[in-house]
Amino acid sequence: MAHGSTGVGIVTDAPRPPRRVACHRGGVPANPLTELDHDRLRRRRSVKWRWYPPDVLPMWLAEMDVPLAPPIRTALLDAIELGDTGYADAGRLPETFAAFSAARFGWSPDPATIHLVPDVMHGVVAVLRALTRPGEGVVINPPVYHPYFSYLELAGRRVVESPLDVDSAGRWTVDLDRLARSFADPDVTAYLLCSPHNPTGTVFGRQELAAIVELAARHGVRVLADEVHAPMVYPGATFTPYLSLPGTASAVVITSASKAWNLPGLKSALVIAGTEVAPALDRLVPEVFFGSGHLGVIASEVAFRDGGAWLDALMAGLDANRSLLATLLAAGDAGLSTVRYRPPEATYLAWLDCRPLGLGADPAAVFLAKGRVAVNSGPTFGAQGAGHVRLNFATPPDILIDGVRRMASALAG
């Protein structure tokens, strides 16, 4: 494929009329992933669409190619009409999240233990600074969300790697023996658990999490659970909130509406404290919350309260896309049939083992240079990511098809 060809539309800056949105009764999009075409997406100014030249198809950063959920759009337009763009107040967001969690997960956190922070990673840093000391070790499970490495260093803590294992079915799991050895390090005081896991898409089961609870208690390690992808679990898997388990009073959960409703630029997340650590987090300095976005709070509250039907429609579309990706990769004429792909149990991120293609440690570089498609580089998620890429399939099906076609073209070039 020629580098200048996108296969899904011509980029132009000319204004376009608004599109009609196909809706179910009640104004919920039938599939939010089919509402925006490539031309409209190219007009976005977010980093996903502006980092690379226009001839590169971006399928990397965790932004979804969807319009805002209608209730969120209405609430934000109302705020703009009022000029309501001042500093953030948490408002009813803790109570709204607690109600959402009760309905979706069967877990009702106490709103009094929920604190507003700008985003998940700033929440992680704030909690670590409140509950651990500089230089202490924090365990992570690579291949894992790559900002963990840099943000733990920013917090002045030492990264301790306890890599995931892969079972006979190709599912990434926590290696409990290895985790126990990591926890036995006398300098290790915390464990940053990505649940559901990014980039592998694993949803850790109740028994797996209970084993982690037991290990953490035995070694006196505090668990910080990043549960930002919790609303995005597919049929066949069940999400268990970490703080819903017995013995987690010393743990903390960090979450947000940012992933499930595509709101990362609006800056609003939540830190939820176990009962034992709640007093310490109550003493966090106001500057920790000060960077939160007022519009983010408004959008998040509406998302958790009124965004369930839209989320369900989105998840149905994502479920179809994760299956479509499997079909595209398996097609013999695509040249990618040897790529190992286990559809994720959660998230809209595909973790692709491209080692059979013989493209070296960083296949993403080849796909970018020869196919003009941007996917995440596997090694940035840890040494275990060598030969892998992470692909974002939260995009219209025709763009997903073109993305895989571009990857295949890189093999022939």
Side-chain angles (χ1 to χ4, degrees):
M1 179 178 292
H3 287 181
S5 172
T6 67
V8 287
I10 300 172
V11 179
T12 173
D13 290 328
R16 294 170 178 80
R19 292 164 51 107
R20 293 179 62 86
V21 178
C23 295
H24 290 310
R25 185 171 56 191
V28 179
N31 179 358
L33 292 166
T34 63
E35 295 306 313
L36 300 177
D37 61 21
H38 185 266
D39 286 356
R40 288 192 74 195
L41 290 165
R42 273 290 175 202
R43 293 161 59 195
R44 289 185 167 182
R45 295 177 56 183
S46 65
V47 68
K48 176 183 178 181
W49 286 94
R50 294 301 175 103
W51 187 266
Y52 291 100
D55 68 315
V56 173
L57 189 65
M59 306 188 75
W60 61 298
L61 197 65
E63 297 177 20
M64 296 191 291
D65 297 337
V66 294
L68 282 172
I72 297 174
R73 182 178 185 274
T74 297
L76 292 177
L77 288 175
D78 287 346
I80 297 299
E81 182 67 24
L82 286 171
D84 188 9
T85 54
Y87 295 111
D89 176 80
R92 298 286 299 173
L93 181 54
E95 290 81 2
T96 305
F97 172 77
F100 172 84
S101 177
R104 289 267 166 167
F105 311 134
W107 170 54
S108 302
D110 180 355
T113 66
I114 302 177
H115 300 277
L116 179 67
V117 291
D119 55 45
V120 167
M121 289 314 303
H122 282 88
V124 167
V125 170
V127 171
L128 287 174
R129 287 176 172 167
L131 302 179
T132 66
R133 294 189 297 269
E136 291 183 339
V138 180
V139 176
I140 60 174
N141 300 127
V144 72
Y145 183 52
H146 47 86
Y148 281 9
F149 295 92
S150 56
Y151 273 85
L152 291 182
E153 292 181 5
L154 176 67
R157 274 54 178 174
R158 178 171 61 93
V159 174
V160 178
E161 297 187 28
S162 182
L164 295 179
D165 196 8
V166 183
D167 66 17
S168 58
R171 181 177 184 269
W172 292 80
T173 62
V174 174
D175 185 329
L176 294 173
D177 291 336
R178 180 176 286 162
L179 190 66
R181 292 194 296 272
S182 297
F183 283 2
D185 181 337
D187 292 329
V188 166
T189 57
Y191 171 39
L192 179 53
L193 170 66
C194 191
S195 175
H197 193 267
N198 173 8
T200 68
T202 296
V203 176
F204 301 116
R206 189 175 185 86
Q207 288 186 332
E208 292 175 278
L209 294 173
I212 291 171
V213 172
E214 192 277 328
L215 283 177
R218 185 194 313 169
H219 293 279
V221 171
R222 197 179 306 282
V223 176
L224 283 66
D226 170 1
E227 296 183 351
V228 71
H229 285 285
M232 310 194 79
V233 174
Y234 296 104
T238 301
F239 171 71
T240 301
Y242 191 81
L243 284 177
S244 70
L245 297 169
T248 58
S250 66
V252 177
V253 161
I254 307 96
T255 191
S256 173
S258 62
K259 289 295 184 283
W261 287 274
N262 204 42
L263 306 171
L266 296 185
K267 293 300 176 188
S268 173
L270 298 170
V271 167
I272 309 167
T275 55
E276 181 183 303
V277 295
L281 295 189
D282 285 341
R283 295 191 296 270
L284 287 175
V285 295
E287 285 77 8
V288 171
F289 320 111
F290 197 67
S292 304
H294 181 49
L295 295 180
V297 172
I298 291 172
S300 298
E301 186 174 327
V302 173
F304 289 129
R305 188 185 64 231
D306 302 325
W310 184 90
L311 177 62
D312 292 341
L314 169 69
M315 291 307 298
L318 289 173
D319 195 4
N321 270 13
R322 69 173 180 153
S323 298
L324 173 60
L325 178 58
T327 299
L328 295 171
L329 292 173
D333 58 355
L336 300 169
S337 58
T338 59
V339 170
R340 301 186 186 105
Y341 164 55
R342 190 178 194 277
E345 297 166 341
T347 82
Y348 47 81
L349 306 166
W351 186 237
L352 306 180
D353 183 352
C354 300
R355 288 176 294 180
L357 300 179
L359 300 179
D362 190 11
V366 178
F367 293 138
L368 177 61
K370 296 185 176 182
R372 307 307 284 167
V373 57
V375 291
N376 285 102
S377 169
T380 64
F381 297 86
Q384 299 73 20
H388 294 69
V389 301
R390 191 189 76 171
L391 180 147
N392 177 352
F393 59 82
T395 195
D398 59 337
I399 292 182
L400 179 58
I401 291 169
D402 189 53
V404 174
R405 184 185 302 122
R406 286 167 178 250
M407 293 169 66
S409 75
L411 306 181

